[in-house]
Amino acid sequence: MTARDHGERVGYFEPLMISDNARLRSRLNDLALALAEKSAAFSSSLPPVTAPSHSEVVAIANCYYSNLVKGHDVPPIDIEGALHDNYSDDAKKRDLELEACAHITVQKMDRR
């Protein structure tokens, strides 16, 4: 199956809102609530001392998959290295590592 571009602006999806008359709106709301509840329960079950390390792993995974969607393939191990100022000698890969570091910096700003 080939994806078709209908010329829509990406901004139309931000934020993605399900219309009031959508057939599955109620089910999607229920799933979103269940996910939020499970996320809160999981977060509260973590010992406070481990939360920062879990947060870093999730940030790296989120960064990796978000950038991969855009075709910017930097493996998590390389993202972690870049976060510790260990960049590739290859200029193109280094640019992607810097982008990943910026992505994670913005994620941290959002959590404040």
Side-chain angles (χ1 to χ4, degrees):
M1 176 180 205
T2 302
R4 290 182 287 158
D5 181 355
H6 297 285
E8 296 97 342
R9 291 188 351 221
V10 174
Y12 289 153
F13 295 101
E14 297 172 356
L16 179 59
M17 303 296 288
I18 308 300
S19 66
D20 289 339
N21 60 352
R23 184 174 57 88
L24 296 176
R25 180 185 172 98
S26 177
R27 179 69 179 132
L28 290 172
N29 285 342
D30 291 344
L31 288 170
L33 178 61
L35 178 60
E37 290 171 342
K38 288 179 181 183
S39 175
F42 175 70
S43 293
S44 66
S45 73
L46 295 175
V49 71
T50 65
S53 60
H54 285 97
S55 178
E56 185 173 330
V57 169
V58 170
I60 290 170
N62 182 43
C63 175
Y64 170 69
Y65 287 111
S66 292
N67 288 335
L68 190 61
V69 166
K70 298 181 281 188
H72 300 173
D73 187 5
V74 180
I77 191 74
D78 293 339
I79 295 171
E80 184 176 14
L83 290 171
H84 294 97
D85 296 324
N86 183 15
Y87 300 101
S88 173
D89 292 331
D90 176 82
K92 185 174 181 177
K93 187 172 180 181
R94 185 175 52 253
D95 286 346
L96 293 175
E97 291 169 345
L98 289 166
E99 176 188 33
C101 288
H103 183 135
I104 290 175
T105 298
V106 170
Q107 284 185 52
K108 288 179 181 177
M109 291 168 59
D110 283 347
R111 287 194 300 257
R112 291 182 186 149

